[in-house]
Amino acid sequence: MIHTILGAGGVIAKELTNTLLQNGKEVKLVSRQPKAIGGRTDIAAADLTNYEQTKAAVAGSAVVYLCAGLSYDRKVWAASWPKIMRNTIDACKAANARLIFYDNVYMYGLVNGPMTEDTPYNPITKKGEIRARIATELMDEVKAGNLRASIARAADFYGPGADTTGMLNVLLISKFVKGKKGMWLGSDELPHSYSYTPDSGKAMYLLGQDPAADNQTWHMPTYNPALTGKEYAALIAQKTGAKPAYTKMNSFMLRLGGLFDGVVGELQEMLYQNTNPYVFDSTKFNRHFNFQPTSYEQGISETIAAAK
C-alpha cells in the first residue's frame, strides 16, 4: 500500500507526509528534486508535465495525492496545469490507483453566501477558468467510471511553515512576529475563511483511508465563524505583542506593485475574494469524519510559535 505524493515539498504535502508516517504508511515523495525524510520515505524525481516520468513515479501506488504547486503566474498555470492533470489521471488509471486532488476555490468565482461542495463553478478570472477546467476533467473521468478520485478543496490557508504561500502568514503573522507593519488585501471589515494546514494534511490522510469517500468533492475542515481582517490583526497582535498596524492594499496599489513584482500583479485579478465576504463551509467533511477544525485562536498560536 504505497501512498504517493505528487508535488512533494509544499506545506500541504509536508503535513500529509507527516500524518502518513505517523500512521505507519509507506510513502513515496515525487517532485523535480525530492528529498527523503530520514530514510522513512521512498523518492522519485519526475516532471509532472512529462507523462512517462509521471507514469513511472505513480507505478505501484495504491493512493496518489496531487499536491503540486506552480508559480503564481496565469501563463504558467495555463501551460502546465492541463498537462499535469491529464498525466496524473492517465498514470493513476494505468496503476489502478485512487487519486485525491488538493484544490482551491478559484473556480467558484464570486459567491453570494457560504461556499459548499454544491457551489456551481462560475469562474470570473483566468486562474479560475484553469482550475474549473482541470477539476471538471477529473470528475468527468470519475463519472465515466474510468477512475476512482476525489477533490479535497481548501480555502486560503495558513499554518506552521506556510510563510511564503499562506496569505495570513505572509500578510500579518510573519510581519508581526518580526515587529513590522502588516498588510491586508481589500476590505478588513469582511469575514475571510482560512484553512489550517495541519488540518488539511490530516483530512487528506483520512480521505486516503476511506474508499467510500471517493468520487466526490470534499471541503477541507475549516473553522467557523471566519474572522474579519481587523479581528485577525487584533488576535495576531495580541499573541505576538506587536501593534495591530497594517496597510490596506487596494486595486490601485496592487496594479502599481505589479509593475515591480509579478506575484503582486497576479493578485489583482483575485482581489474580488477580499472585497466581498469569503466564507468557506466544511460541514460535510466535519460530520462524515467527526472532525473538529482547529480554532483560529489555537492555529494562530501554533503558527506564531513555529515562526519564532
Side-chain angles (χ1 to χ4, degrees):
M1 286 288 291
I2 300 174
H3 294 255
T4 297
I5 302 176
L6 303 181
V11 64
I12 299 300
K14 289 178 180 177
E15 294 290 355
L16 172 58
T17 300
N18 290 338
T19 305
L20 287 166
L21 292 176
Q22 288 166 7
N23 286 274
K25 305 303 179 182
E26 187 174 354
V27 180
K28 181 194 289 186
L29 304 178
V30 180
S31 67
R32 289 177 184 268
Q33 296 178 312
K35 296 181 180 179
I37 299 178
R40 301 166 64 199
T41 61
D42 190 9
I43 60 172
D47 174 356
L48 299 181
T49 65
N50 180 296
Y51 174 62
E52 292 302 327
Q53 292 182 24
T54 306
K55 181 181 178 182
V58 166
S61 303
V63 185
V64 174
Y65 308 84
L66 179 55
C67 300
L70 303 181
S71 300
Y72 202 67
D73 184 320
R74 76 194 78 172
K75 293 180 180 178
V76 172
W77 284 26
S80 298
W81 262 122
K83 293 179 183 177
I84 291 172
M85 181 56 74
R86 187 70 254 164
N87 291 344
T88 301
I89 288 171
D90 289 343
C92 287
K93 287 161 67 173
N96 195 29
R98 296 167 56 222
L99 172 60
I100 300 171
F101 171 42
Y102 183 81
D103 199 8
N104 65 25
V105 301
Y106 288 9
M107 71 297 300
Y108 291 151
L110 180 57
V111 180
N112 181 21
M115 292 174 272
T116 72
E117 289 86 350
D118 294 324
T119 298
Y121 293 178
N122 184 33
I124 59 174
T125 64
K126 295 297 183 182
K127 294 189 191 73
E129 290 172 0
I130 295 164
R131 302 302 294 214
R133 173 183 169 185
I134 61 175
T136 299
E137 181 177 10
L138 174 59
M139 297 314 287
D140 281 350
E141 290 280 355
V142 166
K143 291 173 185 176
N146 299 328
L147 180 72
R148 294 186 64 84
S150 57
I151 294 176
R153 187 163 284 147
D156 288 342
F157 60 73
Y158 79 104
D163 296 329
T164 60
T165 51
M167 290 307 297
L168 195 60
N169 292 60
V170 172
L171 297 174
L172 293 177
I173 296 174
S174 296
K175 300 287 187 183
F176 284 5
V177 165
K178 297 174 183 176
K180 297 181 178 180
K181 191 174 184 178
M183 293 183 293
W184 190 258
L185 296 177
S187 172
D188 60 355
E189 304 276 357
L190 301 171
H192 194 103
S193 296
Y194 283 93
S195 300
Y196 188 49
T197 52
D199 283 356
S200 290
K202 293 172 185 175
M204 293 277 282
Y205 166 77
L206 290 172
L207 290 177
Q209 295 303 298
D210 184 6
D214 288 350
N215 304 338
Q216 54 192 303
T217 296
W218 297 90
H219 277 188
M220 295 290 86
T222 301
Y223 192 81
N224 270 310
L227 304 183
T228 66
K230 284 185 177 179
E231 291 170 332
Y232 285 117
L235 178 58
I236 296 166
Q238 183 258 318
K239 297 287 185 181
T240 58
K243 294 181 179 180
Y246 54 93
T247 299
K248 289 190 286 184
M249 304 286 288
N250 57 27
S251 179
F252 171 76
M253 296 172 73
L254 288 176
R255 285 198 301 270
L256 183 63
L259 297 175
F260 308 96
D261 187 321
V263 173
V264 173
E266 290 287 335
L267 291 171
Q268 168 65 28
E269 71 165 353
M270 306 308 303
L271 189 60
Y272 73 90
Q273 295 184 316
N274 299 86
T275 54
N276 295 275
Y278 176 105
V279 178
F280 187 80
D281 187 288
S282 62
T283 300
K284 175 185 173 182
F285 186 96
N286 302 344
R287 287 177 175 171
H288 182 84
F289 290 99
N290 192 27
F291 196 105
Q292 177 59 49
T294 301
S295 69
Y296 292 116
E297 175 104 14
Q298 179 182 343
I300 285 171
S301 293
E302 292 175 357
T303 303
I304 289 169
K308 288 183 175 180

